[in-house]
Amino acid sequence: MTLLDVGGLTVTGRHLIVDGVDLNVSRGETVGLVGESGSGKSLTARAVAGLLPKGLTATGSVTLSGRELLGARERLLRSVRGSQVALLMQDPFAMLNPLRTAGAHVAESLPRLPRAARRAEVLRRLAEVGIADPSVAGRHPFQLSGGMRQRVALAAALARDPELLIADEPTTALDATTQHEILMLLRGVQRARGMGVLLITHDLRVAFELCDRVSVMYAGRIVESGPGSGVAGAPAHPYTSGLLAALPSVTVTLPRLEAVPGSVPHAEDVTDVCAFAARCGQAEPECGQARPPLRELSPGRRTACLYEVRPRPRTAPPALAPDAAPAGGTLLRVEELRKRYGGHVALGGVSLDVGAGESVGVVGESGSGKTTLARCVLGLATPDGGRVELAGLDVTPGARAARREGAHRLVQCVFQDPSTSLNPALTVGATLAEAAAQGRAEGRPSVAELLDLVGLPTAYASRRPRALSGGERQRVAIARALAVRPALLICDEPTASLDVSVQAHVLELLRTIRRELGTALLFITHDLAVVRQIADRTVVLFRGEVVESGETARVLDAPAHDYTRRLLASVPPTP
Amino acid sequence: MAVLTLLARRLAAALVLLGVLSALTFGLLAASPGGPEQVLLGSRPSTAETRAAIRAEYHLDDPFPVRYARWLGDAVRGDFGVSIYSREPVTDVIADRMPVTASLAGYALLLTVAVGVPLGLVAAMRRGGALDQGITLAALVTLAIPPFALSILLLYGFAVALGWFPVFGAGETPLDRIVHLTLPAIALAGAQTAMVVRQMRAAALDLAGQDFLTFARARGLPRRRIWLGYALRNAALPVLTVGGLLLAANLTGSLFVEQAFGLHGLGALLIGAIGQKDIPVVQALVLLGGAIVVAVNLLIDLAYLAVDPRVRHGAVTS
């Protein structure tokens, strides 16, 4: 029986954001709402819970167990929230009140109970989400890890036994292994309670692994829906098909990563046409004439594409042999690097080499020391012990013999979040010119050359970062790093904050740069599928120690260390 | 453990601060124009005998560190010597004035918090609305009016024209005192309330976008709990700091308001003492002011400890 029924949901702020979404969730069913950033999926979830941010209005209909929620009074909504519909949010670090204990969060959400019974009930609820240690109830959020916080939040969200749980990217901010645990927990709780779950995610693999049915959202509307396995096996919309093709695989190194060209349009610019037509490889004139309806292919299977999707030639692509190790000597040598922060050991004696023109992946979870390693090599952090050698020069930060001047011409960095790593006050051209001026005068690249290198039009030089999309900003950041023609490029999770289709683009760009300029890469990531696509060799870091290293294919296909095996097991299968 | 280290560190810093302040204060006398004996003589005739008597009484022939040590020893025991002007012990003079200033400061702080915190919260809740704009504008205007001007306006309006409140003095019985101090407290609290409103509004706006408030609403928590347990408690931290500093400023005397309402408080005393070159009184007042600021800051630290578990567990330093 239908629990949640969303019909023609439209969310408008200054612009149209969600455009006529239909969705339903039955009791005991998990439905996935998949889309990239800007697709309107999170605001759809907020609208269902009646928690839209100020300034946004929703029209259409949202009925929960037959009761209309849209336009209902706040009083009614408050009685429905928590007891019938609960919302679990993305960031476990921001979702809990920093001043209250974990137990208090659960207790305040419970119905009224006598004191002693309440305490026992809190512990029971925490046990349900896999927290067996009763002392956790007395701890504050800042004393708990991300995974623990997400568990506490889940217990609090479930305290009034809602019939429907909306989980908005509940695992995006977590490490791979924790992510896997939380997803399995979510599935377990859902099955035990027979609850309906609406899972919002940008990760197709997560959606397919967990959901009975999946709806794909694009530019504020649903473009395809159907059972998870059906959508994964035979996508019926070119967008879904493009997203699937852009997914990196952990088992094979793809010769070419297919990105979806262009960027997501605003919902209101495409109300009367197919929203995807401008980026579609098989668009026909008809696509730009009317908005394609969500037509039924078979019972429960719908697509908003007028045509049959051409299958992508992606049946067992030839595994790419890793590029032959370049002949050059060792470019970066890190020996026994140690660094402590208070009582926490960030690096406990890490050694690794990067050859000239080689690509080395560093894999590990948060807290494994991978970012500290990058900062030490860049000279941004001073290690407590060990050596960093670049092209034969001792550049160990803080060491007496260190000769850092000139080191910035040898090594450059691309950071994780391009929205904060570019100066918002400078135009792209000014940023690139400033960076290039740090290099040697002869052979200094011009702004146009740098933009061309990363595949951006020359006209972008006059734009400011705000006017660019996330992927474009990251390409500018890469161009900036390349401006001094470094021999080594350190990439610290450069695609972690990007959408899948954009990630494919950036990864492909980095591969091309390496091939054409011979720049060595030290690629730091938590994503094994990404490392498979980009690195010749892989080093696995665990709690500041190298636990395994070797050729990427060998490490991923035949892992020798337990931790590597655990990391691999937590990667959702690639459809 | 972290709590004790924090407290120990703060106490040590407070002692060092007071030590430096006392040395500077004592230096006041030695560095005063005409030399210490001239100042200590005051209006008495300056003859060789009186000067010698003063030198002997105050041990002015001893080396500076010895004099400082003796003075500090006395000061710690509450003996700041005798007022040159009134010939009474300085401690008595100050004790005489303290109650007026303390009740005025407390009253003003009460008004500031009782009015400023809710207004700031309401302004943040109704962000951009007419109420928010009204409150923000009113705060800006109040902030721009100097306290003495506000004092005169209040005096004219409520004491002279309407006759609701007395014009002058501090009152004798407790109830009488409240009536007498109402207008001065309002005059003092005006600008401070405006500051607290702005601070509270900014803190609450900061919170409004936080996930934990949305998550609290998503769990269907009652509105009262969300506002008190979530919004108010999290916004309280920056407001606590401002409130404490205001209290310290008020306790050390509120010059303009005391002058305007003819209150004999510490502010008026300080002005008088400086005018009469009554150095022992000035010394005691400066040191008292320092001690109050230090004590209030310690109280703020303790309040932080009580409100924020992150400080309690040493996860962040305030």
Side-chain angles (χ1 to χ4, degrees):
Chain A
M1 111 174 229
T2 308
L3 182 62
L4 171 75
D5 198 355
V6 177
L9 179 71
T10 299
V11 177
T12 336
R14 225 176 301 162
H15 305 282
L16 181 69
I17 302 165
V18 175
D19 187 4
V21 162
D22 297 308
L23 201 66
N24 60 72
V25 183
S26 299
R27 247 171 254 282
E29 184 188 36
T30 303
V31 174
L33 190 57
V34 188
E36 297 186 283
S37 49
S39 63
K41 57 188 191 308
S42 284
L43 287 173
T44 304
R46 292 285 197 101
V48 169
L51 290 169
L52 279 178
K54 263 192 184 161
L56 301 184
T57 46
T59 54
S61 131
V62 174
T63 51
L64 188 70
S65 309
R67 199 159 15 159
E68 177 65 47
L69 294 187
L70 218 57
R73 302 177 69 95
E74 184 67 21
R75 245 186 123 73
L76 171 79
L77 284 176
R78 216 174 307 136
S79 71
V80 168
R81 286 188 208 125
S83 58
Q84 290 183 41
V85 54
L87 176 69
L88 191 63
M89 294 159 79
Q90 173 173 353
D91 189 354
F93 298 92
M95 207 184 349
L96 299 176
N97 186 344
L99 305 183
R100 298 179 75 87
T101 61
H105 276 94
V106 180
E108 69 185 357
S109 316
L110 285 171
R112 278 180 192 285
L113 281 173
R115 215 184 158 81
R118 174 177 281 240
R119 162 115 186 114
E121 186 65 13
V122 167
L123 293 183
R124 199 179 69 75
R125 298 297 184 137
L126 287 176
E128 185 191 1
V129 294
I131 299 178
D133 179 4
S135 73
V136 170
R139 293 207 203 130
H140 287 94
F142 71 92
Q143 295 166 308
L144 301 173
S145 68
M148 282 299 237
R149 289 184 214 201
Q150 197 59 291
R151 282 169 197 268
V152 171
L154 181 62
L158 295 178
R160 288 189 191 176
D161 305 314
E163 294 157 334
L164 174 71
L165 176 70
I166 304 174
D168 185 1
E169 304 261 16
T171 59
T172 306
L174 303 174
D175 277 322
T177 50
T178 322
Q179 187 169 358
H180 188 68
E181 282 168 25
I182 297 286
L183 286 177
M184 291 305 107
L185 171 68
L186 212 54
R187 169 187 281 174
V189 169
Q190 183 264 334
R191 286 192 180 153
R193 288 172 168 248
M195 194 171 53
V197 171
L198 178 61
L199 178 73
I200 318 279
T201 179
H202 71 281
D203 194 333
L204 286 165
R205 295 171 299 180
V206 167
F208 292 142
E209 192 184 11
L210 216 65
C211 300
D212 304 312
R213 288 189 295 123
V214 170
S215 291
V216 181
M217 246 184 125
Y218 181 77
R221 67 182 74 166
I222 288 180
V223 293
E224 176 171 4
S225 65
S229 53
V231 176
H237 195 281
Y239 175 61
T240 320
S241 162
L243 279 185
L244 286 170
L247 270 183
S249 157
V250 75
T251 48
V252 279
T253 310
L254 300 169
R256 203 182 142 66
L257 293 165
E258 297 288 343
V260 183
S263 56
V264 186
H266 290 295
E268 67 175 2
D269 298 336
V270 290
T271 40
D272 298 325
V273 295
C274 170
F276 191 62
R279 303 170 73 187
C280 184
Q282 55 181 78
E284 301 285 336
E286 213 180 322
C287 301
Q289 279 160 12
R291 175 164 167 177
L294 203 57
R295 66 189 171 100
E296 191 156 50
L297 292 171
S298 56
R301 189 87 170 78
R302 290 161 193 275
T303 177
C305 186
L306 298 169
Y307 305 99
E308 200 165 310
V309 174
R310 279 184 230 126
R312 287 186 175 255
R314 210 192 137 178
T315 39
L320 197 68
D323 296 347
T330 306
L331 176 63
L332 170 73
R333 170 164 290 158
V334 173
E335 281 172 12
E336 285 296 308
L337 208 58
R338 294 173 185 283
K339 175 82 182 166
R340 298 173 70 92
Y341 289 108
H344 173 72
V345 180
L347 294 175
V350 169
S351 305
L352 62 87
D353 287 347
V354 180
E358 195 188 19
S359 169
V360 173
V362 177
V363 179
E365 306 197 334
S366 51
S368 64
K370 52 193 199 309
T371 294
T372 309
L373 174 68
R375 293 178 63 84
C376 286
V377 173
L378 285 164
L380 297 174
T382 308
D384 302 333
R387 268 165 63 83
V388 180
E389 215 174 82
L390 254 180
L393 289 175
D394 182 2
V395 293
T396 317
R400 202 169 294 168
R403 294 188 16 209
R404 294 275 342 158
E405 71 267 25
H408 67 269
R409 294 195 194 114
L410 284 170
V411 58
Q412 279 293 321
C413 187
V414 177
F415 295 94
Q416 173 173 348
D417 188 355
S419 58
T420 54
S421 69
L422 293 175
N423 184 344
L426 290 186
T427 61
V428 168
T431 298
L432 293 180
E434 183 188 66
Q438 310 300 315
R440 290 202 171 73
E442 75 264 25
R444 183 178 291 169
S446 69
V447 170
E449 280 172 321
L450 285 170
L451 283 173
D452 185 51
L453 191 64
V454 294
L456 290 175
T458 318
Y460 273 42
S462 59
R463 294 206 190 175
R464 279 175 216 283
R466 211 178 20 201
L468 305 182
S469 71
E472 288 168 341
R473 281 184 210 154
Q474 195 61 297
R475 280 191 267 168
V476 171
I478 292 172
R480 178 179 61 179
L482 292 173
V484 296
R485 301 252 182 252
L488 174 67
L489 190 60
I490 296 182
C491 303
D492 189 359
E493 303 262 17
T495 60
S497 61
L498 303 178
D499 283 318
V500 209
S501 63
V502 183
Q503 163 174 295
H505 213 123
V506 170
L507 289 180
E508 194 54 46
L509 172 66
L510 286 171
R511 295 214 293 204
T512 313
I513 283 167
R514 190 187 145 217
R515 209 163 39 233
E516 289 175 4
L517 302 183
T519 312
L521 294 180
L522 184 64
F523 198 98
I524 293 169
T525 181
H526 68 278
D527 191 333
L528 295 179
V530 165
V531 89
R532 178 99 206 194
Q533 307 308 320
I534 199 121
D536 306 327
R537 284 194 298 121
T538 295
V539 174
V540 182
L541 274 187
F542 181 55
R543 296 191 181 150
E545 313 253 357
V546 175
V547 294
E548 185 162 1
S549 66
E551 278 180 16
T552 304
R554 195 203 50 71
V555 171
L556 297 185
D557 293 340
H561 194 272
D562 255 358
Y563 176 67
T564 320
R565 277 197 282 272
R566 245 175 46 224
L567 275 180
L568 273 164
S570 62
V571 177
T574 310
Chain B
M1 190 55 222
V3 176
L4 288 183
T5 7
L6 180 78
L7 274 187
R9 261 214 325 268
R10 287 300 151 97
L11 267 176
L15 282 179
V16 170
L17 199 65
L18 281 179
V20 171
L21 192 64
S22 70
L24 287 177
T25 317
F26 185 70
L28 262 185
L29 181 61
S32 48
E37 61 265 62
Q38 189 59 46
V39 169
L40 291 169
L41 270 174
S43 53
R44 282 173 288 176
S46 167
T47 63
E49 294 87 69
T50 51
R51 267 212 292 261
I54 289 281
R55 294 198 81 84
E57 186 188 342
Y58 288 91
H59 308 281
L60 289 181
D61 295 319
D62 289 350
F64 183 84
V66 175
R67 270 151 53 205
Y68 171 64
R70 186 175 293 124
W71 175 80
L72 192 64
D74 286 347
V76 166
R77 269 179 272 121
D79 178 7
F80 286 91
V82 173
S83 161
I84 293 161
Y85 176 71
S86 68
R87 303 267 121 217
E88 287 172 51
V90 173
T91 322
D92 291 356
V93 175
I94 291 179
D96 192 37
R97 304 292 192 101
M98 195 65 194
V100 173
T101 296
S103 15
L104 181 60
Y107 198 168
L109 186 74
L110 203 69
L111 287 179
T112 304
V113 172
V115 176
V117 169
L119 278 188
L121 265 184
V122 166
M125 270 166 77
R126 301 263 180 271
R127 179 185 194 173
L131 196 56
D132 175 27
Q133 286 176 352
I135 291 174
T136 308
L137 184 71
L140 208 64
V141 170
T142 320
L143 206 54
I145 303 178
F148 69 88
L150 185 61
S151 305
I152 291 166
L153 279 177
L154 288 172
L155 264 179
Y156 182 75
F158 294 99
V160 178
L162 292 170
W164 293 355
F165 292 99
V167 181
F168 187 82
E172 294 306 317
T173 63
L175 186 69
D176 203 21
R177 172 149 289 182
I178 291 177
V179 174
H180 272 87
L181 287 185
T182 298
L183 286 186
I186 293 176
L188 192 56
Q192 299 179 352
T193 308
M195 270 158 77
V196 168
V197 165
R198 295 182 67 90
Q199 190 83 31
M200 191 69 202
R201 181 177 177 272
L205 277 186
D206 231 26
L207 281 178
Q210 297 279 352
D211 278 358
F212 63 79
L213 269 185
T214 311
F215 186 53
R217 289 179 63 205
R219 283 180 285 149
L221 295 188
R223 210 189 313 198
R224 219 171 64 95
R225 157 137 271 160
I226 292 179
W227 280 108
L228 296 182
Y230 280 71
L232 191 59
R233 204 162 156 213
N234 277 288
L237 294 173
V239 176
L240 260 178
T241 309
V242 175
L245 294 178
L246 292 177
L247 179 67
N250 290 353
L251 274 177
T252 48
S254 25
L255 267 179
F256 293 119
V257 173
E258 283 181 12
Q259 291 287 351
F261 287 92
L263 297 172
H264 297 289
L266 291 182
L269 179 64
L270 183 64
I271 288 293
I274 290 173
Q276 294 148 357
K277 295 212 182 77
D278 198 343
I279 296 289
V281 174
V282 175
Q283 282 176 330
L285 282 176
V286 169
L287 212 52
L288 177 70
I292 287 175
V293 170
V294 165
V296 166
N297 272 307
L298 265 177
L299 283 179
I300 296 175
D301 284 342
L302 283 175
Y304 260 86
L305 284 175
V307 173
D308 194 337
R310 286 165 295 186
V311 183
R312 201 150 63 226
H313 294 272
V316 288
T317 48
S318 62

